[in-house]
């Protein structure tokens, strides 16, 4: 118990928990987004699109709990990060929320009228609801790696001095966005190959055996770009890891290639990018031999590796500042109080198993394929 009460350990635990929640969101809600992203390419008729939509229709809202948990964790454990992120990325977040709203609307409305134009319009709305969030989430990570233009005054008020959405859509940010999009689209194709049969499953296996190559190339290109062209951040001097949450009490250095320093100090961290590459290769191999469950699990491993790579590369930084590096928010100086972190940890230990148990039960009840015959026979009950 004494160890749990230590401020340094609590901060580290919450950094890990934040990563778990973000990876959980990418794995669970990621296949919903990915399914919508590949929908026009793997489902060509109205019946085939209904098969694909009904593969995620019963579970997408439950999967989105991971997004809520991630946002809640940032708000509770890292309030300064929450404030800076919502100030700097609010237009991008509004765009994400607007397109995410298209998902429930599209699910509910597309089957209300028989017209092909009506259904096609909602299918493309679902497509946008998959592509835009997948892209924007990656763009956000790309901008974090470059540093965000915010500053903090002596009263610890945060000021964002960026110019808006188009500033975020810089070349490296867009590259990271494409990594995210291809990663989640591959994940969605792997899920559909697991849940469907016939032409839809065949096309999904084809996509899942080819698109991960794009992820691999883009992920490698992003790594080279970081090594050669992106200045990373490091803490200089002694750091009080159990000190007060005041970002201005530290000295920060910025220099090219610094985001790779953690790998030099701790070579075992290379496991993260290795899993990103190996998982994508495993997805390709399993898809080509028609092993859909193995392909889906390999895709989840790839997602884990790619997101973990960003996290361990930046550690202990959570949100670096490009305007004033000293104002950068880190694990050691941007957290809530020790008491808050401890109380939230107890709540997480109680409720996270509930979420995991509920999720496991839902997927067990809904196991099996969604088939064309099922959709045609129960049309009035399905999307």
């Amino acid at each position: 118990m004494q160890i749990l009460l230590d401020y340094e350990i609590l901060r580290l635990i919450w950094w890990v928990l934040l990563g778990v929640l973000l990876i959980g969101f990418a794995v669970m809600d990621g296949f919903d987004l990915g399914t919508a992203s590949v929908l026009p390419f793997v489902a060509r008729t109205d019946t085939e699109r209904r098969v694909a939509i009904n593969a995620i229709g019963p579970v997408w809202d439950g999967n989105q709990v991971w997004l809520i948990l991630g946002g809640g964790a940032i708000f509770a454990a890292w309030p300064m990060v929450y404030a800076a992120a919502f100030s700097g990325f609010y237009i991008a977040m509004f765009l994400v929320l607007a397109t995410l709203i298209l998902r429930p609307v599209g699910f509910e409305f597309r089957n209300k009228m028989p017209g092909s134009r009506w259904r096609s319009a909602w299918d493309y709305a679902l497509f946008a609801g998959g592509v835009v969030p997948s892209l924007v989430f990656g763009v956000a990570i790309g901008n974090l790696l470059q540093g965000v233009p915010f500053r903090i005054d002596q009263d610890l008020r945060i000021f964002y001095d960026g110019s808006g959405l188009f500033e975020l859509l810089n070349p490296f940010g867009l590259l990271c966005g494409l990594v995210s999009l291809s990663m989640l689209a591959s994940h969605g194709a792997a899920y559909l190959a697991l849940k469907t049969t016939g032409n839809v499953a065949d096309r999904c296996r084809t996509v899942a055996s080819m698109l991960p190559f794009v992820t691999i190339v883009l992920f490698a290109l992003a790594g080279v770009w970081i090594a050669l062209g992106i200045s990373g951040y490091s803490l200089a001097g002694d750091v009080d890891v159990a000190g007060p949450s005041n970002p201005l009490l530290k000295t920060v250095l910025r220099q090219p290639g610094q985001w790779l320093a953690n790998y030099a100090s701790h070579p075992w961290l290379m496991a993260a990018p290795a899993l990103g590459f190996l998982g994508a290769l495993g997805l390709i191999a399993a898809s080509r031999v028609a092993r859909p469950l193995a392909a889906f699990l390999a895709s989840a491993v790839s997602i884990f590796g790619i997101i973990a790579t960003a996290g361990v590369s930046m550690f202990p930084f959570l949100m670096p500042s490009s305007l004033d590096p000293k104002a950068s928010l880190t694990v050691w100086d941007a957290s809530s109080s020790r008491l808050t972190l401890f109380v939230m940890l107890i709540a997480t230990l109680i409720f996270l198993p509930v979420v995991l148990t509920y999720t496991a039960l839902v997927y067990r009840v809904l196991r099996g394929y969604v088939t064309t015959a099922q959709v045609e026979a129960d049309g009035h009950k399905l999307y």
Side-chain angles (χ1 to χ4, degrees):
M1 183 63 69
Q2 182 62 36
I3 294 177
L4 287 177
L5 290 173
D6 186 88
Y7 206 5
E8 174 190 359
I9 299 299
L10 282 170
R11 283 168 162 167
L12 189 59
I13 287 173
W14 271 101
W15 176 77
V16 173
L17 282 175
L18 178 60
V20 168
L21 293 174
L22 293 179
I23 292 171
F25 165 70
V27 171
M28 299 303 296
D29 204 32
F31 69 72
D32 297 338
L33 299 175
T35 294
S37 299
V38 300
L39 182 63
F41 310 103
V42 300
R44 298 173 183 174
T45 68
D46 179 67
T47 300
E48 289 177 350
R49 291 181 181 180
R50 291 189 64 204
V51 167
I53 290 171
N54 279 281
I56 60 172
V59 298
W60 74 268
D61 47 355
N63 291 338
Q64 202 150 281
V65 168
W66 290 94
L67 177 61
I68 298 171
L69 289 174
I74 297 174
F75 176 78
W78 314 103
M80 298 188 73
V81 176
Y82 185 89
F86 273 75
S87 296
F89 299 155
Y90 78 94
I91 296 179
M93 291 182 178
F94 180 82
L95 181 62
V96 168
L97 290 175
T99 51
L100 286 178
I101 290 172
L102 292 176
R103 285 202 295 177
V105 176
F107 287 142
E108 296 298 333
F109 282 6
R110 79 171 304 278
N111 204 33
K112 300 301 183 184
M113 294 178 63
S116 60
R117 289 186 178 180
W118 172 267
R119 294 188 174 187
S120 179
W122 288 114
D123 289 339
Y124 282 107
L126 291 172
F127 173 70
V131 169
V132 173
S134 300
L135 183 69
V136 171
F137 289 140
V139 167
I141 297 297
N143 279 272
L144 287 178
L145 287 164
Q146 296 176 93
V148 181
F150 72 92
R151 54 188 172 84
I152 301 176
D153 68 8
Q154 294 301 317
D155 296 320
L156 299 185
R157 293 179 299 178
I158 298 173
F159 298 89
Y160 178 77
D161 293 333
S163 59
L165 178 63
F166 291 104
E167 180 183 49
L168 302 177
L169 301 177
N170 53 75
F172 182 73
L174 287 173
L175 173 61
C176 292
L178 292 175
V179 172
S180 174
L181 177 59
S182 62
M183 174 184 75
L184 295 183
S186 301
H187 195 48
Y191 176 76
L192 281 181
L194 179 64
K195 287 292 292 182
T196 62
T197 60
N199 291 332
V200 175
D202 292 339
R203 295 186 194 114
C204 287
R205 281 192 291 270
T206 299
V207 171
S209 66
M210 298 174 61
L211 190 56
F213 280 119
V214 177
T215 304
I216 291 171
V217 171
L218 294 177
F219 185 42
L221 179 59
V224 173
W225 198 328
I226 288 173
L228 301 179
I230 301 294
S231 294
Y233 295 70
S234 64
L235 297 175
D238 295 330
V239 178
D240 187 1
V241 296
S245 289
N246 185 342
L248 302 180
L249 300 179
K250 65 180 181 296
T251 301
V252 176
L253 302 178
R254 190 179 185 189
Q255 54 190 7
Q258 188 59 45
W259 287 142
L260 303 181
N262 283 340
Y263 299 104
S265 302
H266 307 284
W268 61 271
L269 292 176
M270 288 298 297
L275 288 175
F277 288 115
L278 292 175
L281 291 173
L283 170 57
I284 294 169
S287 297
R288 290 188 172 182
V289 297
R291 292 290 187 88
L293 179 57
F296 181 78
L297 294 176
S299 179
V301 169
S302 180
I303 290 173
F304 174 88
I306 291 173
I307 296 178
T309 297
V312 300
S313 297
M314 292 178 60
F315 183 85
F317 289 87
L318 295 171
M319 193 169 184
S321 171
S322 59
L323 290 182
D324 181 11
K326 186 172 74 170
S328 298
L329 306 177
T330 75
V331 172
W332 313 126
D333 59 24
S335 73
S336 296
S337 67
R338 173 195 278 180
L339 177 60
T340 299
L341 295 182
F342 179 72
V343 172
M344 290 300 300
L345 178 61
I346 298 301
T348 301
L349 293 176
I350 294 173
F351 290 107
L352 186 57
V354 174
V355 173
L356 294 174
T357 302
Y358 159 79
T359 301
L361 289 174
V362 167
Y363 281 93
R364 176 167 178 78
V365 170
L366 296 175
R367 66 189 183 278
Y369 296 110
V370 179
T371 65
T372 299
Q374 179 185 0
V375 168
E376 291 176 343
D378 298 328
H380 64 289
K381 297 179 183 178
L382 302 176
Y383 294 113

